[in-house]
Amino acid sequence: MKRKNYNGAQILIRVYKQTLRAVPVSAALGILNYLMQGLLPAILAGLLAGMYDAAEGSLREKGFEGKLLQMGGMILAVYGAVYLLQLAANVAINAGIYETCTSFHKLKLTEKNARIPFLALEDSGLLNLRRRAQDCAEREILSQIFMSSVVFVTNGIGIASVISVLASYSLWLVPIAVLSVLPFFYARLTRGKEFYRIRSGQARENRKLDDLWRILTTKESVKEMRVTQSAGYVFDKWRRTRDEVAEALRRENRKEAKSCFSCESIKILGYCVSIFIALALVLNQEISIGVFGACIAAFASLQNTAKNFLMDLGKLPEQLSFAGDYFAYLELEWNEQAEKRIENIRFTKKMEVKNVCFRYPGCERDTLKDVNFSIREGEKIAIVGENGSGKTTLSKILLGLYPPNAGEVFLDGCLLEKHSGQSFREQVSLVSQDFVRYALTLRENVGISDIKELSNDAKIRKALERAKAELRDPETQMGKAFGGLELSGGQWQKIAVARGIFRERGFLILDEPTSALDSLAEADLLRTLLEMAEDKTAVIISHRVSLCRFVSRILVLKDGRICEMGSHRELLEKRGEYARLYMEQKKWYDL
C-alpha cells in the first residue's frame, strides 16, 4: 500500500473540485451569500453613519426628515435583500453542500471499497486509514472545509471593508481590534493539531467500538451471550473503550474551553478600550455623536469578523489533515494501477499452480507452502484437510483474490495475477462457507449472483429445487428484521447453494458447501452438486471426506502443504493422512 501525501493547497483544490462536481448550484449560492455577508458591515456602517447624522440634524432643525427616511429605507432594503439571499443559501447549504455533498463523499468511499484488493482487507494500517476517511465523511469535514474557506475569503473582504471605514475615524482602533482577537487564532491552531492527533490515533479504538457494538446487537451473538451470560462482560469492554475514547476528547475540550475564556476576556478588554478612544474623539470634537455610534458598531463588527477569520484560519490545518486521510484513501496508488492492468484472462483447458506460498500480513509463518498441482478442463477435484490446513486460503489464491507471496498460477499458460483475476472470476460460480444472508427477497438472494437473469422466475425456482430448498416463491421477503422469514443455518445454506447453481458458469468452486447441513441432507445435496458439475470443472473444498469417492482426484492439505494426492482408493491404500481422516470421520458418518 503506497499512500500519497498532499499539501494544504492540493487538498483544498480537491475539496473544491469534488464539491463543485457534486452540487454546483448550491456551492454558487453559498459563495454569493457569504460574499454579501462580507460586504454587509461596511455597507451598514456607512448607512448607519448617515442615518445617525440625519437623526441628529432633525433634532436641531427641519429638513432632515426626508434624508432620515431615505437612509432608513435603504437599510431596510439591504436587510431584506440579504435575508432573502440567506434564506435561499441556507437551504442550498444544508440540503446541498452538507446533505447531498456528504452523500457524494460517502459514495466515493463506497466505490473505492469495492475496488480494494481482497488481501488489503487483512492490513490493519489500511483499515485504520479507511476508518479515518469514513470518519471524515461522516463528520462532514469536507463540506466544512468548503464552507470555512468560503467564509474565510468573504471575512477577509469584510475585514478590509470595515478597516477602511474604521480607519477614517481613528487609525488606533484598527490594530486594537485585530490584536484583541489574535489569540483566537493561536488557540484554535494549537487545539486543532491536538484534536487531529487524538482522533487519528483513535481509529483502532473506534473500529473496536464498532465491532463490540455489532456483537452486542447482532441476533446470533445476543442469543449466545444470553446462554453464556456474557453480555455484561462484552458491554463492560465496550463501555470502557467508549469512555477511554470520550475521556481523551473531554480533556481536550476542557483545554479548549479555558482557551476560549481567556481569548474572550482579551476581546472584551479591547472593546472597552475602543469605547474610551471613541469618547475621547467625541470630546475633542473630532467626530460627531452619530459617527461615535457608527464607530463603536464598526469596531465590534471588525472584532467579530476578524475573530471568525482567525478561528477559521486556525481550524483549517486540522480539517485539512482529516481531508488528507480521505483523499489518501481514495487515491491509493496500487489500487489505481491494478484497475489499469486487468487483462482478459480465461480458463479453457488447464489451470496450473506452481510453487505457491502465501503468508497473511503481520503473520510470522506461511499459511501455504510450496503448493503444486494442476486442474484440467472437466476435472473434479476435492481439496480436503483439517481446519486451519489452508483450504479456504488456497481457494482465494485460485480465484485471484489473494496474490501468492511466491510461486505462480497459470490459466492456459497465462499468468493469473491479482490484477487479472477479475476476468477469470466472471467464469466462476462460487458457493462459499461464508455465504451472505441478504435481508432482501428470495428472488434477490438467489438472482444476485447473475443480475441480468434476476427476473427469470423459472430459473430461480429451478435453482431452489435443485438445491433442495423448501421455499419457492421468489417474492418471499427474507429476514425477520424486515417482517420476512427467518431460516435455520441449513436452510440459508441451501439458498446460498441455489445462488451458486443459478450462476451457470463452467468453473465451480464449492468451499464447504454443506457445512451447515446434517449428514442426510449433506449426502442428498452433494449428489445434486456433483450432477450440476457433471459437464464442468469443479474444485470442492471440505474438511469432510464423504464426497471424495465421487471426484477424480483428491488433494490432501496438512499445515499448508499438499501431503498426498490421488484417488479415494489410492489414498486409502497409502494409509496416510487421508486414510486417518477417513477413519476418524467414519466413526460419526456412514461412509
Side-chain angles (χ1 to χ4, degrees):
M1 180 180 69
K2 186 176 179 182
R3 168 179 172 166
K4 289 184 179 180
N5 293 312
Y6 305 103
N7 59 41
Q10 291 173 322
I11 295 170
L12 196 59
I13 290 171
R14 279 171 168 76
V15 169
Y16 264 76
K17 283 183 177 179
Q18 195 149 305
T19 304
L20 290 170
R21 188 182 305 126
V23 284
V25 176
S26 296
L29 276 173
I31 292 171
L32 180 61
N33 173 59
Y34 281 98
L35 180 62
M36 286 300 300
Q37 295 295 321
L39 295 173
L40 185 61
I43 295 171
L44 288 178
L47 292 175
L48 284 171
M51 189 176 73
Y52 291 153
D53 286 337
E56 183 185 6
S58 65
L59 293 175
R60 295 196 305 266
E61 57 184 292
K62 294 182 178 181
F64 285 89
E65 291 81 359
K67 184 178 181 182
L68 182 61
L69 290 173
Q70 181 184 8
M71 299 305 295
M74 291 176 66
I75 290 173
L76 288 174
V78 169
Y79 271 116
V82 170
Y83 173 75
L84 291 175
L85 179 59
Q86 279 183 330
L87 193 64
N90 285 339
V91 173
I93 290 170
N94 292 327
I97 293 175
Y98 281 100
E99 293 184 13
T100 304
C101 204
T102 298
S103 296
F104 182 81
H105 300 324
K106 291 179 179 179
L107 176 63
K108 288 294 181 183
L109 284 179
T110 302
E111 291 174 349
K112 186 68 175 184
N113 291 340
R115 297 196 303 267
I116 291 178
F118 201 66
L119 182 60
L121 298 176
E122 307 286 347
D123 187 334
S124 61
L126 180 136
L127 294 177
N128 288 337
L129 177 61
R130 183 173 71 173
R131 185 63 178 80
R132 294 199 297 272
Q134 180 182 333
D135 190 46
C136 176
E138 289 177 350
R139 291 173 54 216
E140 302 180 332
I141 297 292
L142 299 175
S143 298
Q144 291 175 29
I145 290 175
F146 178 81
M147 293 310 306
S148 295
S149 62
V150 170
V151 173
F152 177 77
V153 173
T154 54
N155 279 342
I157 296 171
I159 288 171
S161 62
V162 177
I163 284 176
S164 65
V165 173
L166 197 59
S168 66
Y169 304 141
S170 172
L171 286 174
W172 284 103
L173 294 173
V174 175
I176 292 172
V178 175
L179 290 174
S180 66
V181 294
L182 190 59
F184 282 100
F185 168 72
Y186 175 76
R188 182 62 262 177
L189 182 65
T190 304
R191 299 275 66 82
K193 289 179 179 178
E194 282 300 301
F195 268 121
Y196 174 73
R197 182 187 65 79
I198 291 169
R199 284 190 176 275
S200 60
Q202 289 177 338
R204 182 176 178 275
E205 284 70 21
N206 283 322
R207 288 199 296 116
K208 186 187 295 183
L209 278 174
D210 292 341
D211 189 60
L212 288 170
W213 187 252
R214 177 189 59 79
I215 293 171
L216 286 167
T217 55
T218 303
K219 186 180 67 175
E220 289 76 14
S221 56
V222 168
K223 176 183 175 182
E224 180 173 319
M225 286 188 298
R226 286 187 179 178
V227 174
T228 60
Q229 298 181 336
S230 58
Y233 174 80
V234 177
F235 179 76
D236 284 343
K237 285 183 69 70
W238 176 83
R239 184 174 57 189
R240 285 196 300 271
T241 306
R242 179 207 61 184
D243 290 346
E244 288 171 5
V245 170
E247 181 56 32
L249 295 175
R250 274 197 295 269
R251 285 196 298 267
E252 196 56 36
N253 281 323
R254 285 194 291 268
K255 291 178 182 178
E256 185 172 35
K258 292 177 182 177
S259 298
C260 287
F261 177 78
S262 301
C263 293
E264 286 291 345
S265 300
I266 296 171
K267 178 188 172 190
I268 292 170
L269 180 62
Y271 185 72
C272 294
V273 171
S274 74
I275 293 176
F276 283 116
I277 292 175
L279 282 172
L281 293 173
V282 172
L283 293 175
N284 291 332
Q285 297 183 346
E286 294 182 29
I287 60 174
S288 65
I289 295 295
V291 172
F292 170 81
C295 178
I296 296 302
F299 184 89
S301 177
L302 178 57
Q303 266 195 325
N304 289 326
T305 306
K307 170 189 170 182
N308 293 334
F309 178 86
L310 291 170
M311 287 193 72
D312 285 339
L313 182 62
K315 190 176 182 180
L316 197 57
E318 173 197 356
Q319 293 176 322
L320 291 176
S321 296
F322 284 111
D325 289 334
Y326 174 85
F327 288 112
Y329 178 70
L330 286 190
E331 299 179 24
L332 289 172
E333 289 184 347
W334 47 257
N335 198 60
E336 300 306 319
Q337 293 170 357
E339 286 203 348
K340 295 176 183 176
R341 293 177 58 191
I342 290 175
E343 304 168 11
N344 185 22
I345 187 168
R346 304 188 68 79
F347 170 87
T348 57
K349 295 180 180 178
K350 187 178 183 182
M351 171 183 277
E352 297 174 278
V353 178
K354 295 186 176 181
N355 306 314
V356 163
C357 297
F358 179 81
R359 178 181 298 183
Y360 284 96
C363 291
E364 297 182 355
R365 64 182 186 87
D366 289 343
T367 302
L368 295 176
K369 307 164 190 175
D370 198 29
V371 174
N372 289 272
F373 67 94
S374 63
I375 308 169
R376 295 188 177 278
E377 181 186 17
E379 190 175 13
K380 284 79 177 167
I381 72 168
I383 301 176
V384 300
E386 295 180 326
N387 290 332
S389 60
K391 303 185 301 297
T392 296
T393 301
L394 180 56
S395 74
K396 292 171 182 175
I397 296 283
L398 298 181
L399 285 166
L401 295 174
Y402 286 177
N405 297 113
E408 296 166 318
V409 180
F410 294 91
L411 292 178
D412 295 345
C414 297
L415 183 63
L416 173 68
E417 297 179 333
K418 61 178 179 179
H419 309 312
S420 58
Q422 180 175 320
S423 59
F424 168 60
R425 288 192 291 274
E426 292 173 0
Q427 294 179 266
V428 175
S429 179
L430 171 69
V431 178
S432 172
Q433 61 175 327
D434 300 320
F435 57 86
V436 181
R437 305 181 185 195
Y438 295 98
L440 302 171
T441 63
L442 182 60
R443 173 194 305 282
E444 291 164 310
N445 265 277
V446 176
I448 201 167
S449 64
D450 195 356
I451 296 295
K452 59 182 178 295
E453 293 288 324
L454 191 61
S455 60
N456 192 334
D457 288 5
K459 187 176 178 181
I460 288 172
R461 289 192 176 95
K462 184 178 180 181
L464 288 165
E465 182 181 352
R466 294 184 69 187
K468 314 299 181 184
E470 290 79 5
L471 300 177
R472 292 290 186 274
D473 183 3
E475 302 307 319
T476 302
Q477 173 66 41
M478 308 300 295
K480 199 168 183 179
F482 298 97
L485 294 178
E486 188 54 70
L487 306 179
S488 67
Q491 289 171 317
W492 272 113
Q493 186 160 46
K494 289 178 181 179
I495 291 175
V497 170
R499 190 184 304 149
I501 294 172
F502 185 80
R503 182 178 170 85
E504 295 179 341
R505 297 295 188 271
F507 198 111
L508 307 180
I509 294 183
L510 309 175
D511 183 5
E512 302 282 8
T514 59
S515 58
L517 302 178
D518 58 53
S519 58
L520 292 177
E522 176 192 32
D524 196 19
L525 187 55
L526 279 174
R527 281 192 291 270
T528 298
L529 291 173
L530 291 168
E531 289 172 6
M532 180 182 78
E534 185 176 357
D535 58 344
K536 305 178 190 305
T537 306
V539 177
I540 305 173
I541 298 166
S542 180
H543 67 280
R544 298 181 183 176
V545 297
S546 55
L547 57 85
C548 295
R549 294 171 296 172
F550 309 106
V551 299
S552 52
R553 193 154 45 102
I554 304 163
L555 279 60
V556 184
L557 278 176
K558 184 175 183 180
D559 297 327
R561 298 181 185 274
I562 295 179
C563 63
E564 294 177 339
M565 187 185 306
S567 68
H568 173 69
R569 183 180 295 278
E570 290 170 346
L571 294 180
L572 283 181
E573 290 174 355
K574 285 185 177 181
R575 300 183 181 276
E577 177 66 13
Y578 178 79
R580 184 186 71 80
L581 290 173
Y582 182 86
M583 296 307 295
E584 283 292 327
Q585 293 184 22
K586 189 175 182 181
K587 298 175 184 177
W588 304 98
Y589 300 102
D590 182 16
L591 300 177

